[in-house]
């Protein structure tokens, strides 16, 4: 996970041309949602009345009716390093048959408009799931990740909220109900938005597919219930299974239902809701390859990153090297492994993947108060998210970047079990006990590209260089020239003498 910045701290690419690429999995179809448009504009301060700003936009040659969607509170925040404020909102327009290109062209000249984009939806298989293997009937991943040892330190804390963005969570499940998030600012069933967060009676989260207060699965959708159980099924309650962070809190955020389009606006709204309502961690076990380059989803990632949220995404199930979703630097991509610490045959991998976690035949909660095994990087992502929740529970004052650094730096090296995949499995397989007990050494420069080697001389002008560190760094302190110094030895070729030269960066 890296922060978007002009400072060149991105990891250097690893040459992997000797690895064969497997066949690509079918990607979902993209559709545009009729009558909807996402707009992004800037302002010098947070506007009190966004609706009046929308109403003021004059569109010569066309006369659509524009309305800011009431069920989608506009996202308003100040990006890091910017003086202006960013405003992103979902518009309904009528007639819905209006040519979207004409409407977007007309809005280009609206005051301080940054961009417009259709609300795109994906249809098809977007969940990172492969069929069950019924021969596995226990939770092998807990001792493998040393969760049993970690639980002597913490089982997780209720103050640490994990948002599960998925097809819903069965809130009444016997092994989940005690951990379901409750909005303390809302009075159930009174029809009033008591906490003024833009949602009425959102006691346990929200369902953006059908815009209602019940983020429970529709039909036979059990994916989100299983992911929630991996991350946070109640531990040590004498019932069912244990979650990795079984005393932390689960926030159900339903942004998908079978048979419905998975839309950019639903993703953005669910991400923002989680960040705005106290979720420090979000886990998304869905195929986001199709969203690379989409400005709405990119803005959603920017928003949660700027709010300090730690996001996890499944790396994907196409056995693919360097999946497209590596373009999103605001999320941890989680590779799936099995009980022998071997990369799952279905799992994607690559230079942009961040960490591994068990995802093959993981036992967790399903519908009907039941339990079952599922396999996929879908299962790996909430396992890693659960370890992050344990770290945060034990260190409640830490920032997102401190938790991220601890998670990656304390993973178990599994290169020996995965010959030929060195450098393509991130920080190794998560280990919760190490994450709770080890103190990290100060970061060091692992590689410097563009600088002379030790003892070497600079030939010509130094116009740029690139550094790679062995740990995740805090962007608030690292992303600035004041964090670094560049010194030349001077004519005597010796450092620490009077003729050393400080070079400006």
């Amino acid at each position: 996970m890296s922060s978007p910045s002009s400072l060149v701290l991105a990891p250097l690419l690893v040459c992997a041309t000797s690895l064969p690429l497997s066949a690509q999995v079918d990607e979902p179809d993209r559709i545009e949602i009729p009558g909807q448009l996402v707009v992004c504009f800037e302002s010098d301060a947070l506007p009190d009345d966004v609706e009046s700003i929308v109403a003021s936009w004059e569109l010569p040659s066309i006369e659509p009716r524009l309305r800011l969607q009431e069920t989608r509170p506009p996202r308003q925040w100040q990006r890091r390093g910017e003086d202006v404020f960013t405003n992103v909102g979902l518009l309904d327009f009528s007639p819905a048959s209006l040519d979207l290109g004409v409407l977007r062209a007309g809005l280009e000249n609206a005051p301080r408009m940054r961009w417009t984009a259709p609300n795109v939806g994906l249809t098809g298989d977007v969940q990172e799931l492969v069929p069950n293997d019924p021969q596995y009937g226990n939770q092998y991943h807990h001792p493998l990740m040393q969760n049993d040892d970690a639980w002597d330190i913490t089982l997780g804390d209720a103050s640490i909220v994990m948002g599960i963005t998925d097809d819903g969570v069965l809130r009444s499940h016997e092994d989940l109900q005690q951990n379901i998030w409750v909005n303390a600012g809302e009075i159930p069933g009174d029809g009033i938005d008591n906490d003024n967060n833009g949602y009425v009676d959102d006691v346990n989260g929200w369902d953006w597919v059908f815009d209602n207060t019940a983020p429970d699965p529709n039909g036979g959708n059990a994916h989100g219930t299983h992911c929630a159980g991996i991350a946070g099924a109640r531990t040590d309650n004498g019932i069912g299974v244990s979650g990795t962070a079984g005393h932390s809190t689960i926030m159900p955020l339903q942004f998908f239902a079978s048979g419905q389009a998975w839309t950019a606006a639903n993703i953005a709204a669910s991400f923002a809701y989680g960040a705005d309502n106290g979720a420090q961690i979000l886990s998304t076990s869905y195929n986001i390859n199709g969203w690379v380059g989409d400005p709405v989803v990119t803005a959603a990632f920017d928003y949660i990153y700027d709010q300090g949220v730690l996001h996890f995404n499944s790396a994907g199930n196409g056995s693919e090297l360097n999946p497209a979703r590596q373009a999103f630097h605001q999320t941890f991509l989680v590779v799936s492994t099995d009980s022998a610490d071997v990369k799952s045959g279905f799992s994607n991998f690559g230079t942009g993947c961040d960490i591994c976690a068990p995802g093959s035949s993981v036992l967790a909660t399903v519908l009907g108060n039941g339990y079952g095994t599922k396999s996929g990087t879908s299962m790996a992502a909430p396992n890693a998210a659960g370890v992050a929740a344990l770290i945060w529970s034990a260190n409640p004052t830490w920032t997102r970047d401190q938790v991220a650094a601890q998670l990656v730096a304390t993973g178990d090296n599994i290169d020996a079990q995965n010959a030929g995949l060195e450098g393509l499995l991130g920080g190794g397989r998560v280990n919760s006990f190490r994450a709770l007990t080890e103190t990290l050494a100060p970061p060091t420069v692992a590689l410097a590209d563009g600088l002379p080697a030790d003892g070497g001389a600079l030939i010509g002008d130094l116009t740029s260089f690139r550094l790679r560190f062995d740990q995740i760094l805090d962007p608030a302190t690292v992303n600035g020239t004041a964090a670094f110094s560049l010194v030349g030895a001077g004519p005597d070729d010796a450092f620490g003498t009077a003729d050393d030269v400080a070079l400006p960066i």
Side-chain angles (χ1 to χ4, degrees), residues 288-339:
I288 63 173
N289 287 343
W291 295 116
V292 173
D294 183 278
V296 181
V297 175
T298 299
F301 273 114
D302 286 342
Y303 182 77
I304 62 172
Y305 187 88
D306 287 336
Q307 309 309 310
V309 172
L310 182 54
H311 187 274
F312 292 86
N313 179 233
S314 42
N317 296 336
S319 305
E320 180 184 358
L321 172 66
N322 294 330
R325 69 193 76 183
Q326 291 186 170
F328 289 114
H329 294 293
Q330 308 95 326
T331 182
F332 266 138
L333 295 186
V334 187
V335 175
S336 174
T337 53
D338 63 15
S339 59

Side-chain angles (χ1 to χ4, degrees), residues 29 53-54 60 96-97 158 166 191 240 277 282 309 328 338 342 399 434 482 489:
D29 295 325
I53 294 177
V54 173
S97 59
D166 215 292
N277 291 277
L282 292 178
V309 172
F328 289 114
D338 63 15
V342 175
T399 66
R434 291 185 59 198

